[in-house]
Amino acid sequence: DTEVTQTPKHLVMGMTNKKSLKCEQHMGHRAMYWYKQKAKKPPELMFVYSYEKLSINESVPSRFSPECPNSSLLNLHLHALQPEDSALYLCASSQGLEALYGYTFGSGTRLTVV
Amino acid sequence: AQKITQTQPGMFVQEKEAVTLDCTYDTSDPSYGLFWYKQPSSGEMIFLIYQGSYDQQNATEGRYSLNFQKARKSANLVISASQLGDSAMYFCAMRASGTGRRALTFGSGTRLQVQP
């Protein structure tokens, strides 16, 4: 299995809702990443997990809360989001934090905040 | 610091022609990896080709080849025999070793449109 699976593919949520994005991989990768991508812009790094521990937080607002319950699963919990948080959220994985190759991306969750 | 620069916001190419997408990078690390990804309108990030900094030969994958000029710090993507399905956004990315940013850094992207 050489895939990163993200669910849901599309999500519409109100500003008072709580929702979660899910990312799963079964390649034995030990580093997992969340990126945020606005329209016509490159992906921007949000969080990095290494061996299920948070390694990098790129000064992301606390309304985004990541969680890595096991080596295959990465969640992004969303609460009290703003319309400007509407974007494509991409998950990726690699063999490890020091890997210089072999990054695999999921197909993304397209989030709309209303 | 790591930096990736793509200077072509948009490119047009005729079907069956070859096209070169430019990418320059900046890093002080001796060991790094360079990537090209294709992103169609559906949003998925599709891996195309990889070049390691110590690789002696330019990488090739089917119709994709990477013109790697280390001294000039450039890693241009060449797509031969363009197809209509090649129309998409293309991102150059880098991962450098060392104690710097431990994740892929992306360029701003080039939107390629293939015309029939």
Side-chain angles (χ1 to χ4, degrees), chain B residues 26-64:
Chain B
D26 189 21
T27 179
S28 55
D29 291 316
S31 183
Y32 51 88
L34 295 158
F35 305 74
W36 277 93
Y37 288 90
K38 171 185 177 181
Q39 189 176 43
S41 56
S42 57
E44 58 184 313
M45 196 69 79
I46 302 168
F47 168 74
L48 296 178
I49 197 166
Y50 168 83
Q51 181 84 42
S53 59
Y54 292 118
D55 293 343
Q56 295 295 313
Q57 293 188 322
N58 287 348
T60 59
E61 290 284 351
R63 293 187 300 112
Y64 304 108

PDB file of all heavy atoms in Angstrom, chain B residues 26-64:
ATOM      1  N   ASP B  26      17.967  27.664  -3.375  1.00  0.00           N
ATOM      2  CA  ASP B  26      19.060  28.214  -2.588  1.00  0.00           C
ATOM      3  C   ASP B  26      19.142  27.474  -1.266  1.00  0.00           C
ATOM      4  O   ASP B  26      18.158  27.422  -0.523  1.00  0.00           O
ATOM      5  CB  ASP B  26      18.845  29.705  -2.347  1.00  0.00           C
ATOM      6  CG  ASP B  26      20.070  30.362  -1.721  1.00  0.00           C
ATOM      7  OD1 ASP B  26      21.175  29.791  -1.836  1.00  0.00           O
ATOM      8  OD2 ASP B  26      19.919  31.440  -1.126  1.00  0.00           O
ATOM      9  N   THR B  27      20.258  26.877  -1.008  1.00  0.00           N
ATOM     10  CA  THR B  27      20.517  26.228   0.268  1.00  0.00           C
ATOM     11  C   THR B  27      22.008  26.162   0.480  1.00  0.00           C
ATOM     12  O   THR B  27      22.782  26.073  -0.489  1.00  0.00           O
ATOM     13  CB  THR B  27      19.907  24.801   0.309  1.00  0.00           C
ATOM     14  OG1 THR B  27      20.215  24.214   1.573  1.00  0.00           O
ATOM     15  CG2 THR B  27      20.467  23.919  -0.794  1.00  0.00           C
ATOM     16  N   SER B  28      22.411  26.182   1.744  1.00  0.00           N
ATOM     17  CA  SER B  28      23.834  26.035   2.068  1.00  0.00           C
ATOM     18  C   SER B  28      24.164  24.596   2.459  1.00  0.00           C
ATOM     19  O   SER B  28      25.323  24.268   2.691  1.00  0.00           O
ATOM     20  CB  SER B  28      24.211  26.987   3.199  1.00  0.00           C
ATOM     21  OG  SER B  28      23.372  26.768   4.313  1.00  0.00           O
ATOM     22  N   ASP B  29      23.131  23.754   2.530  1.00  0.00           N
ATOM     23  CA  ASP B  29      23.361  22.353   2.875  1.00  0.00           C
ATOM     24  C   ASP B  29      23.927  21.604   1.667  1.00  0.00           C
ATOM     25  O   ASP B  29      23.446  21.792   0.558  1.00  0.00           O
ATOM     26  CB  ASP B  29      22.052  21.683   3.308  1.00  0.00           C
ATOM     27  CG  ASP B  29      21.549  22.205   4.629  1.00  0.00           C
ATOM     28  OD1 ASP B  29      22.370  22.350   5.549  1.00  0.00           O
ATOM     29  OD2 ASP B  29      20.343  22.484   4.737  1.00  0.00           O
ATOM     30  N   PRO B  30      24.915  20.734   1.889  1.00  0.00           N
ATOM     31  CA  PRO B  30      25.484  19.984   0.765  1.00  0.00           C
ATOM     32  C   PRO B  30      24.593  18.839   0.299  1.00  0.00           C
ATOM     33  O   PRO B  30      24.705  18.381  -0.832  1.00  0.00           O
ATOM     34  CB  PRO B  30      26.804  19.452   1.332  1.00  0.00           C
ATOM     35  CG  PRO B  30      26.544  19.335   2.802  1.00  0.00           C
ATOM     36  CD  PRO B  30      25.619  20.455   3.146  1.00  0.00           C
ATOM     37  N   SER B  31      23.709  18.398   1.166  1.00  0.00           N
ATOM     38  CA  SER B  31      22.867  17.246   0.868  1.00  0.00           C
ATOM     39  C   SER B  31      21.410  17.681   0.831  1.00  0.00           C
ATOM     40  O   SER B  31      20.891  18.229   1.810  1.00  0.00           O
ATOM     41  CB  SER B  31      23.069  16.174   1.943  1.00  0.00           C
ATOM     42  OG  SER B  31      22.321  15.020   1.641  1.00  0.00           O
ATOM     43  N   TYR B  32      20.753  17.454  -0.310  1.00  0.00           N
ATOM     44  CA  TYR B  32      19.360  17.884  -0.437  1.00  0.00           C
ATOM     45  C   TYR B  32      18.682  17.085  -1.535  1.00  0.00           C
ATOM     46  O   TYR B  32      19.334  16.429  -2.355  1.00  0.00           O
ATOM     47  CB  TYR B  32      19.251  19.384  -0.710  1.00  0.00           C
ATOM     48  CG  TYR B  32      20.114  19.876  -1.852  1.00  0.00           C
ATOM     49  CD1 TYR B  32      19.650  19.864  -3.168  1.00  0.00           C
ATOM     50  CD2 TYR B  32      21.395  20.360  -1.613  1.00  0.00           C
ATOM     51  CE1 TYR B  32      20.440  20.311  -4.205  1.00  0.00           C
ATOM     52  CE2 TYR B  32      22.196  20.809  -2.648  1.00  0.00           C
ATOM     53  CZ  TYR B  32      21.721  20.786  -3.945  1.00  0.00           C
ATOM     54  OH  TYR B  32      22.512  21.232  -4.971  1.00  0.00           O
ATOM     55  N   GLY B  33      17.362  17.143  -1.526  1.00  0.00           N
ATOM     56  CA  GLY B  33      16.563  16.496  -2.561  1.00  0.00           C
ATOM     57  C   GLY B  33      15.667  17.513  -3.233  1.00  0.00           C
ATOM     58  O   GLY B  33      15.147  18.421  -2.584  1.00  0.00           O
ATOM     59  N   LEU B  34      15.485  17.355  -4.522  1.00  0.00           N
ATOM     60  CA  LEU B  34      14.634  18.250  -5.301  1.00  0.00           C
ATOM     61  C   LEU B  34      13.501  17.442  -5.917  1.00  0.00           C
ATOM     62  O   LEU B  34      13.716  16.334  -6.411  1.00  0.00           O
ATOM     63  CB  LEU B  34      15.447  18.937  -6.394  1.00  0.00           C
ATOM     64  CG  LEU B  34      16.530  19.868  -5.877  1.00  0.00           C
ATOM     65  CD1 LEU B  34      17.609  20.087  -6.919  1.00  0.00           C
ATOM     66  CD2 LEU B  34      15.935  21.190  -5.430  1.00  0.00           C
ATOM     67  N   PHE B  35      12.310  17.992  -5.873  1.00  0.00           N
ATOM     68  CA  PHE B  35      11.108  17.282  -6.302  1.00  0.00           C
ATOM     69  C   PHE B  35      10.310  18.161  -7.269  1.00  0.00           C
ATOM     70  O   PHE B  35      10.307  19.382  -7.160  1.00  0.00           O
ATOM     71  CB  PHE B  35      10.184  17.004  -5.108  1.00  0.00           C
ATOM     72  CG  PHE B  35      10.814  16.265  -3.963  1.00  0.00           C
ATOM     73  CD1 PHE B  35      11.707  16.892  -3.107  1.00  0.00           C
ATOM     74  CD2 PHE B  35      10.472  14.943  -3.722  1.00  0.00           C
ATOM     75  CE1 PHE B  35      12.277  16.210  -2.041  1.00  0.00           C
ATOM     76  CE2 PHE B  35      11.029  14.262  -2.656  1.00  0.00           C
ATOM     77  CZ  PHE B  35      11.931  14.897  -1.813  1.00  0.00           C
ATOM     78  N   TRP B  36       9.586  17.487  -8.149  1.00  0.00           N
ATOM     79  CA  TRP B  36       8.555  18.151  -8.932  1.00  0.00           C
ATOM     80  C   TRP B  36       7.233  17.413  -8.701  1.00  0.00           C
ATOM     81  O   TRP B  36       7.181  16.166  -8.730  1.00  0.00           O
ATOM     82  CB  TRP B  36       8.878  18.148 -10.430  1.00  0.00           C
ATOM     83  CG  TRP B  36       9.788  19.251 -10.831  1.00  0.00           C
ATOM     84  CD1 TRP B  36      11.155  19.213 -10.927  1.00  0.00           C
ATOM     85  CD2 TRP B  36       9.412  20.582 -11.201  1.00  0.00           C
ATOM     86  NE1 TRP B  36      11.639  20.434 -11.333  1.00  0.00           N
ATOM     87  CE2 TRP B  36      10.594  21.294 -11.515  1.00  0.00           C
ATOM     88  CE3 TRP B  36       8.178  21.254 -11.313  1.00  0.00           C
ATOM     89  CZ2 TRP B  36      10.580  22.638 -11.935  1.00  0.00           C
ATOM     90  CZ3 TRP B  36       8.170  22.570 -11.725  1.00  0.00           C
ATOM     91  CH2 TRP B  36       9.358  23.244 -12.025  1.00  0.00           C
ATOM     92  N   TYR B  37       6.187  18.232  -8.445  1.00  0.00           N
ATOM     93  CA  TYR B  37       4.839  17.699  -8.269  1.00  0.00           C
ATOM     94  C   TYR B  37       3.906  18.358  -9.271  1.00  0.00           C
ATOM     95  O   TYR B  37       4.054  19.532  -9.604  1.00  0.00           O
ATOM     96  CB  TYR B  37       4.322  17.987  -6.854  1.00  0.00           C
ATOM     97  CG  TYR B  37       4.972  17.169  -5.769  1.00  0.00           C
ATOM     98  CD1 TYR B  37       6.112  17.617  -5.122  1.00  0.00           C
ATOM     99  CD2 TYR B  37       4.431  15.940  -5.380  1.00  0.00           C
ATOM    100  CE1 TYR B  37       6.716  16.866  -4.124  1.00  0.00           C
ATOM    101  CE2 TYR B  37       5.025  15.179  -4.375  1.00  0.00           C
ATOM    102  CZ  TYR B  37       6.166  15.658  -3.760  1.00  0.00           C
ATOM    103  OH  TYR B  37       6.758  14.911  -2.772  1.00  0.00           O
ATOM    104  N   LYS B  38       2.905  17.577  -9.685  1.00  0.00           N
ATOM    105  CA  LYS B  38       1.834  18.082 -10.559  1.00  0.00           C
ATOM    106  C   LYS B  38       0.558  18.138  -9.732  1.00  0.00           C
ATOM    107  O   LYS B  38       0.240  17.180  -9.009  1.00  0.00           O
ATOM    108  CB  LYS B  38       1.642  17.123 -11.738  1.00  0.00           C
ATOM    109  CG  LYS B  38       0.439  17.399 -12.616  1.00  0.00           C
ATOM    110  CD  LYS B  38       0.285  16.305 -13.670  1.00  0.00           C
ATOM    111  CE  LYS B  38      -0.947  16.498 -14.530  1.00  0.00           C
ATOM    112  NZ  LYS B  38      -1.083  15.412 -15.538  1.00  0.00           N
ATOM    113  N   GLN B  39      -0.160  19.258  -9.821  1.00  0.00           N
ATOM    114  CA  GLN B  39      -1.415  19.382  -9.096  1.00  0.00           C
ATOM    115  C   GLN B  39      -2.537  19.772 -10.049  1.00  0.00           C
ATOM    116  O   GLN B  39      -2.656  20.939 -10.427  1.00  0.00           O
ATOM    117  CB  GLN B  39      -1.304  20.408  -7.956  1.00  0.00           C
ATOM    118  CG  GLN B  39      -2.524  20.414  -7.045  1.00  0.00           C
ATOM    119  CD  GLN B  39      -2.378  21.358  -5.875  1.00  0.00           C
ATOM    120  OE1 GLN B  39      -1.914  22.480  -6.015  1.00  0.00           O
ATOM    121  NE2 GLN B  39      -2.779  20.899  -4.694  1.00  0.00           N
ATOM    122  N   PRO B  40      -3.363  18.818 -10.448  1.00  0.00           N
ATOM    123  CA  PRO B  40      -4.513  19.163 -11.301  1.00  0.00           C
ATOM    124  C   PRO B  40      -5.563  19.894 -10.480  1.00  0.00           C
ATOM    125  O   PRO B  40      -5.421  20.045  -9.260  1.00  0.00           O
ATOM    126  CB  PRO B  40      -5.016  17.793 -11.772  1.00  0.00           C
ATOM    127  CG  PRO B  40      -4.444  16.799 -10.825  1.00  0.00           C
ATOM    128  CD  PRO B  40      -3.240  17.399 -10.197  1.00  0.00           C
ATOM    129  N   SER B  41      -6.621  20.312 -11.141  1.00  0.00           N
ATOM    130  CA  SER B  41      -7.650  21.102 -10.456  1.00  0.00           C
ATOM    131  C   SER B  41      -8.332  20.306  -9.337  1.00  0.00           C
ATOM    132  O   SER B  41      -8.914  20.900  -8.434  1.00  0.00           O
ATOM    133  CB  SER B  41      -8.685  21.601 -11.457  1.00  0.00           C
ATOM    134  OG  SER B  41      -9.238  20.519 -12.178  1.00  0.00           O
ATOM    135  N   SER B  42      -8.243  18.995  -9.375  1.00  0.00           N
ATOM    136  CA  SER B  42      -8.840  18.168  -8.318  1.00  0.00           C
ATOM    137  C   SER B  42      -8.111  18.340  -6.976  1.00  0.00           C
ATOM    138  O   SER B  42      -8.662  18.027  -5.924  1.00  0.00           O
ATOM    139  CB  SER B  42      -8.817  16.689  -8.723  1.00  0.00           C
ATOM    140  OG  SER B  42      -7.488  16.277  -8.993  1.00  0.00           O
ATOM    141  N   GLY B  43      -6.876  18.820  -7.028  1.00  0.00           N
ATOM    142  CA  GLY B  43      -6.166  19.144  -5.797  1.00  0.00           C
ATOM    143  C   GLY B  43      -5.089  18.160  -5.357  1.00  0.00           C
ATOM    144  O   GLY B  43      -4.223  18.526  -4.568  1.00  0.00           O
ATOM    145  N   GLU B  44      -5.143  16.929  -5.831  1.00  0.00           N
ATOM    146  CA  GLU B  44      -4.129  15.988  -5.353  1.00  0.00           C
ATOM    147  C   GLU B  44      -2.734  16.390  -5.836  1.00  0.00           C
ATOM    148  O   GLU B  44      -2.582  16.941  -6.916  1.00  0.00           O
ATOM    149  CB  GLU B  44      -4.469  14.565  -5.826  1.00  0.00           C
ATOM    150  CG  GLU B  44      -4.578  14.415  -7.328  1.00  0.00           C
ATOM    151  CD  GLU B  44      -5.011  13.025  -7.724  1.00  0.00           C
ATOM    152  OE1 GLU B  44      -4.463  12.050  -7.199  1.00  0.00           O
ATOM    153  OE2 GLU B  44      -5.893  12.939  -8.585  1.00  0.00           O
ATOM    154  N   MET B  45      -1.744  16.117  -5.022  1.00  0.00           N
ATOM    155  CA  MET B  45      -0.353  16.452  -5.332  1.00  0.00           C
ATOM    156  C   MET B  45       0.305  15.189  -5.857  1.00  0.00           C
ATOM    157  O   MET B  45       0.562  14.256  -5.103  1.00  0.00           O
ATOM    158  CB  MET B  45       0.325  16.948  -4.052  1.00  0.00           C
ATOM    159  CG  MET B  45       1.616  17.690  -4.261  1.00  0.00           C
ATOM    160  SD  MET B  45       1.408  19.287  -5.032  1.00  0.00           S
ATOM    161  CE  MET B  45       0.888  20.267  -3.641  1.00  0.00           C
ATOM    162  N   ILE B  46       0.584  15.165  -7.159  1.00  0.00           N
ATOM    163  CA  ILE B  46       1.106  13.967  -7.806  1.00  0.00           C
ATOM    164  C   ILE B  46       2.612  14.089  -7.974  1.00  0.00           C
ATOM    165  O   ILE B  46       3.102  15.012  -8.640  1.00  0.00           O
ATOM    166  CB  ILE B  46       0.430  13.774  -9.190  1.00  0.00           C
ATOM    167  CG1 ILE B  46      -1.084  13.669  -9.027  1.00  0.00           C
ATOM    168  CG2 ILE B  46       0.983  12.531  -9.891  1.00  0.00           C
ATOM    169  CD1 ILE B  46      -1.851  13.768 -10.334  1.00  0.00           C
ATOM    170  N   PHE B  47       3.356  13.159  -7.397  1.00  0.00           N
ATOM    171  CA  PHE B  47       4.816  13.159  -7.512  1.00  0.00           C
ATOM    172  C   PHE B  47       5.221  12.815  -8.940  1.00  0.00           C
ATOM    173  O   PHE B  47       4.711  11.856  -9.535  1.00  0.00           O
ATOM    174  CB  PHE B  47       5.411  12.146  -6.545  1.00  0.00           C
ATOM    175  CG  PHE B  47       6.863  11.862  -6.772  1.00  0.00           C
ATOM    176  CD1 PHE B  47       7.823  12.792  -6.407  1.00  0.00           C
ATOM    177  CD2 PHE B  47       7.280  10.687  -7.365  1.00  0.00           C
ATOM    178  CE1 PHE B  47       9.167  12.545  -6.624  1.00  0.00           C
ATOM    179  CE2 PHE B  47       8.610  10.430  -7.587  1.00  0.00           C
ATOM    180  CZ  PHE B  47       9.558  11.359  -7.216  1.00  0.00           C
ATOM    181  N   LEU B  48       6.153  13.593  -9.502  1.00  0.00           N
ATOM    182  CA  LEU B  48       6.609  13.363 -10.865  1.00  0.00           C
ATOM    183  C   LEU B  48       8.027  12.812 -10.927  1.00  0.00           C
ATOM    184  O   LEU B  48       8.299  11.810 -11.590  1.00  0.00           O
ATOM    185  CB  LEU B  48       6.561  14.658 -11.682  1.00  0.00           C
ATOM    186  CG  LEU B  48       5.186  15.286 -11.926  1.00  0.00           C
ATOM    187  CD1 LEU B  48       5.338  16.585 -12.704  1.00  0.00           C
ATOM    188  CD2 LEU B  48       4.269  14.317 -12.647  1.00  0.00           C
ATOM    189  N   ILE B  49       8.954  13.505 -10.231  1.00  0.00           N
ATOM    190  CA  ILE B  49      10.362  13.178 -10.425  1.00  0.00           C
ATOM    191  C   ILE B  49      11.177  13.718  -9.264  1.00  0.00           C
ATOM    192  O   ILE B  49      10.790  14.708  -8.626  1.00  0.00           O
ATOM    193  CB  ILE B  49      10.856  13.749 -11.780  1.00  0.00           C
ATOM    194  CG1 ILE B  49      12.157  13.096 -12.232  1.00  0.00           C
ATOM    195  CG2 ILE B  49      10.951  15.266 -11.755  1.00  0.00           C
ATOM    196  CD1 ILE B  49      12.486  13.379 -13.689  1.00  0.00           C
ATOM    197  N   TYR B  50      12.291  13.038  -8.982  1.00  0.00           N
ATOM    198  CA  TYR B  50      13.163  13.388  -7.849  1.00  0.00           C
ATOM    199  C   TYR B  50      14.615  13.419  -8.312  1.00  0.00           C
ATOM    200  O   TYR B  50      15.047  12.590  -9.124  1.00  0.00           O
ATOM    201  CB  TYR B  50      12.994  12.348  -6.733  1.00  0.00           C
ATOM    202  CG  TYR B  50      14.033  12.451  -5.654  1.00  0.00           C
ATOM    203  CD1 TYR B  50      13.877  13.365  -4.616  1.00  0.00           C
ATOM    204  CD2 TYR B  50      15.181  11.653  -5.672  1.00  0.00           C
ATOM    205  CE1 TYR B  50      14.838  13.481  -3.622  1.00  0.00           C
ATOM    206  CE2 TYR B  50      16.142  11.762  -4.685  1.00  0.00           C
ATOM    207  CZ  TYR B  50      15.959  12.661  -3.661  1.00  0.00           C
ATOM    208  OH  TYR B  50      16.896  12.779  -2.683  1.00  0.00           O
ATOM    209  N   GLN B  51      15.360  14.384  -7.747  1.00  0.00           N
ATOM    210  CA  GLN B  51      16.805  14.472  -8.007  1.00  0.00           C
ATOM    211  C   GLN B  51      17.525  14.691  -6.686  1.00  0.00           C
ATOM    212  O   GLN B  51      17.223  15.644  -5.970  1.00  0.00           O
ATOM    213  CB  GLN B  51      17.108  15.658  -8.939  1.00  0.00           C
ATOM    214  CG  GLN B  51      18.571  15.836  -9.288  1.00  0.00           C
ATOM    215  CD  GLN B  51      19.007  14.969 -10.452  1.00  0.00           C
ATOM    216  OE1 GLN B  51      18.317  14.828 -11.438  1.00  0.00           O
ATOM    217  NE2 GLN B  51      20.202  14.399 -10.344  1.00  0.00           N
ATOM    218  N   GLY B  52      18.452  13.811  -6.365  1.00  0.00           N
ATOM    219  CA  GLY B  52      19.274  14.007  -5.175  1.00  0.00           C
ATOM    220  C   GLY B  52      20.494  14.845  -5.509  1.00  0.00           C
ATOM    221  O   GLY B  52      21.008  14.795  -6.636  1.00  0.00           O
ATOM    222  N   SER B  53      20.984  15.582  -4.535  1.00  0.00           N
ATOM    223  CA  SER B  53      22.098  16.506  -4.793  1.00  0.00           C
ATOM    224  C   SER B  53      23.376  15.790  -5.195  1.00  0.00           C
ATOM    225  O   SER B  53      24.240  16.368  -5.862  1.00  0.00           O
ATOM    226  CB  SER B  53      22.351  17.382  -3.564  1.00  0.00           C
ATOM    227  OG  SER B  53      22.657  16.572  -2.435  1.00  0.00           O
ATOM    228  N   TYR B  54      23.514  14.516  -4.811  1.00  0.00           N
ATOM    229  CA  TYR B  54      24.733  13.785  -5.153  1.00  0.00           C
ATOM    230  C   TYR B  54      24.559  12.882  -6.360  1.00  0.00           C
ATOM    231  O   TYR B  54      25.486  12.165  -6.745  1.00  0.00           O
ATOM    232  CB  TYR B  54      25.189  12.955  -3.947  1.00  0.00           C
ATOM    233  CG  TYR B  54      25.668  13.802  -2.797  1.00  0.00           C
ATOM    234  CD1 TYR B  54      25.026  13.774  -1.566  1.00  0.00           C
ATOM    235  CD2 TYR B  54      26.768  14.658  -2.943  1.00  0.00           C
ATOM    236  CE1 TYR B  54      25.468  14.555  -0.507  1.00  0.00           C
ATOM    237  CE2 TYR B  54      27.209  15.444  -1.892  1.00  0.00           C
ATOM    238  CZ  TYR B  54      26.554  15.384  -0.679  1.00  0.00           C
ATOM    239  OH  TYR B  54      26.990  16.169   0.355  1.00  0.00           O
ATOM    240  N   ASP B  55      23.344  12.905  -6.939  1.00  0.00           N
ATOM    241  CA  ASP B  55      23.118  12.071  -8.127  1.00  0.00           C
ATOM    242  C   ASP B  55      23.949  12.602  -9.288  1.00  0.00           C
ATOM    243  O   ASP B  55      23.931  13.802  -9.589  1.00  0.00           O
ATOM    244  CB  ASP B  55      21.628  12.075  -8.503  1.00  0.00           C
ATOM    245  CG  ASP B  55      20.769  11.375  -7.467  1.00  0.00           C
ATOM    246  OD1 ASP B  55      21.336  10.625  -6.646  1.00  0.00           O
ATOM    247  OD2 ASP B  55      19.543  11.584  -7.482  1.00  0.00           O
ATOM    248  N   GLN B  56      24.664  11.691  -9.948  1.00  0.00           N
ATOM    249  CA  GLN B  56      25.551  12.098 -11.038  1.00  0.00           C
ATOM    250  C   GLN B  56      24.798  12.364 -12.332  1.00  0.00           C
ATOM    251  O   GLN B  56      25.209  13.172 -13.159  1.00  0.00           O
ATOM    252  CB  GLN B  56      26.609  11.000 -11.279  1.00  0.00           C
ATOM    253  CG  GLN B  56      27.562  10.800 -10.111  1.00  0.00           C
ATOM    254  CD  GLN B  56      28.417  12.027  -9.880  1.00  0.00           C
ATOM    255  OE1 GLN B  56      28.988  12.602 -10.808  1.00  0.00           O
ATOM    256  NE2 GLN B  56      28.495  12.455  -8.637  1.00  0.00           N
ATOM    257  N   GLN B  57      23.707  11.651 -12.501  1.00  0.00           N
ATOM    258  CA  GLN B  57      22.951  11.793 -13.746  1.00  0.00           C
ATOM    259  C   GLN B  57      21.626  12.513 -13.499  1.00  0.00           C
ATOM    260  O   GLN B  57      21.037  12.417 -12.419  1.00  0.00           O
ATOM    261  CB  GLN B  57      22.674  10.414 -14.348  1.00  0.00           C
ATOM    262  CG  GLN B  57      23.925   9.701 -14.839  1.00  0.00           C
ATOM    263  CD  GLN B  57      23.590   8.434 -15.593  1.00  0.00           C
ATOM    264  OE1 GLN B  57      22.675   7.714 -15.224  1.00  0.00           O
ATOM    265  NE2 GLN B  57      24.317   8.176 -16.666  1.00  0.00           N
ATOM    266  N   ASN B  58      21.151  13.197 -14.526  1.00  0.00           N
ATOM    267  CA  ASN B  58      19.843  13.838 -14.447  1.00  0.00           C
ATOM    268  C   ASN B  58      18.750  12.767 -14.369  1.00  0.00           C
ATOM    269  O   ASN B  58      18.806  11.749 -15.064  1.00  0.00           O
ATOM    270  CB  ASN B  58      19.596  14.718 -15.670  1.00  0.00           C
ATOM    271  CG  ASN B  58      20.410  15.989 -15.639  1.00  0.00           C
ATOM    272  OD1 ASN B  58      20.992  16.343 -14.615  1.00  0.00           O
ATOM    273  ND2 ASN B  58      20.470  16.682 -16.758  1.00  0.00           N
ATOM    274  N   ALA B  59      17.752  13.029 -13.523  1.00  0.00           N
ATOM    275  CA  ALA B  59      16.666  12.073 -13.363  1.00  0.00           C
ATOM    276  C   ALA B  59      15.727  12.092 -14.565  1.00  0.00           C
ATOM    277  O   ALA B  59      15.513  13.141 -15.186  1.00  0.00           O
ATOM    278  CB  ALA B  59      15.876  12.415 -12.096  1.00  0.00           C
ATOM    279  N   THR B  60      15.201  10.916 -14.903  1.00  0.00           N
ATOM    280  CA  THR B  60      14.186  10.816 -15.963  1.00  0.00           C
ATOM    281  C   THR B  60      13.112   9.844 -15.497  1.00  0.00           C
ATOM    282  O   THR B  60      13.394   8.849 -14.826  1.00  0.00           O
ATOM    283  CB  THR B  60      14.777  10.312 -17.292  1.00  0.00           C
ATOM    284  OG1 THR B  60      15.363   9.022 -17.067  1.00  0.00           O
ATOM    285  CG2 THR B  60      15.832  11.254 -17.828  1.00  0.00           C
ATOM    286  N   GLU B  61      11.858  10.184 -15.860  1.00  0.00           N
ATOM    287  CA  GLU B  61      10.728   9.318 -15.568  1.00  0.00           C
ATOM    288  C   GLU B  61       9.748   9.445 -16.728  1.00  0.00           C
ATOM    289  O   GLU B  61       8.950  10.372 -16.794  1.00  0.00           O
ATOM    290  CB  GLU B  61      10.009   9.740 -14.270  1.00  0.00           C
ATOM    291  CG  GLU B  61      10.756   9.497 -12.991  1.00  0.00           C
ATOM    292  CD  GLU B  61      10.752   8.035 -12.550  1.00  0.00           C
ATOM    293  OE1 GLU B  61      10.007   7.237 -13.167  1.00  0.00           O
ATOM    294  OE2 GLU B  61      11.495   7.702 -11.624  1.00  0.00           O
ATOM    295  N   GLY B  62       9.839   8.517 -17.662  1.00  0.00           N
ATOM    296  CA  GLY B  62       8.945   8.574 -18.811  1.00  0.00           C
ATOM    297  C   GLY B  62       9.131   9.856 -19.609  1.00  0.00           C
ATOM    298  O   GLY B  62      10.214  10.163 -20.072  1.00  0.00           O
ATOM    299  N   ARG B  63       8.055  10.645 -19.742  1.00  0.00           N
ATOM    300  CA  ARG B  63       8.138  11.905 -20.498  1.00  0.00           C
ATOM    301  C   ARG B  63       8.732  13.048 -19.683  1.00  0.00           C
ATOM    302  O   ARG B  63       8.892  14.157 -20.214  1.00  0.00           O
ATOM    303  CB  ARG B  63       6.731  12.298 -20.972  1.00  0.00           C
ATOM    304  CG  ARG B  63       6.127  11.359 -22.013  1.00  0.00           C
ATOM    305  CD  ARG B  63       4.811  11.890 -22.563  1.00  0.00           C
ATOM    306  NE  ARG B  63       3.799  12.059 -21.540  1.00  0.00           N
ATOM    307  CZ  ARG B  63       3.330  13.241 -21.134  1.00  0.00           C
ATOM    308  NH1 ARG B  63       3.789  14.367 -21.668  1.00  0.00           N
ATOM    309  NH2 ARG B  63       2.396  13.300 -20.203  1.00  0.00           N
ATOM    310  N   TYR B  64       9.042  12.806 -18.420  1.00  0.00           N
ATOM    311  CA  TYR B  64       9.577  13.855 -17.554  1.00  0.00           C
ATOM    312  C   TYR B  64      11.087  13.667 -17.390  1.00  0.00           C
ATOM    313  O   TYR B  64      11.552  12.554 -17.157  1.00  0.00           O
ATOM    314  CB  TYR B  64       8.919  13.810 -16.177  1.00  0.00           C
ATOM    315  CG  TYR B  64       7.409  13.896 -16.199  1.00  0.00           C
ATOM    316  CD1 TYR B  64       6.625  12.789 -15.909  1.00  0.00           C
ATOM    317  CD2 TYR B  64       6.783  15.095 -16.521  1.00  0.00           C
ATOM    318  CE1 TYR B  64       5.246  12.868 -15.937  1.00  0.00           C
ATOM    319  CE2 TYR B  64       5.399  15.183 -16.547  1.00  0.00           C
ATOM    320  CZ  TYR B  64       4.642  14.072 -16.260  1.00  0.00           C
ATOM    321  OH  TYR B  64       3.271  14.154 -16.290  1.00  0.00           O
TER     322      TYR B  64
END
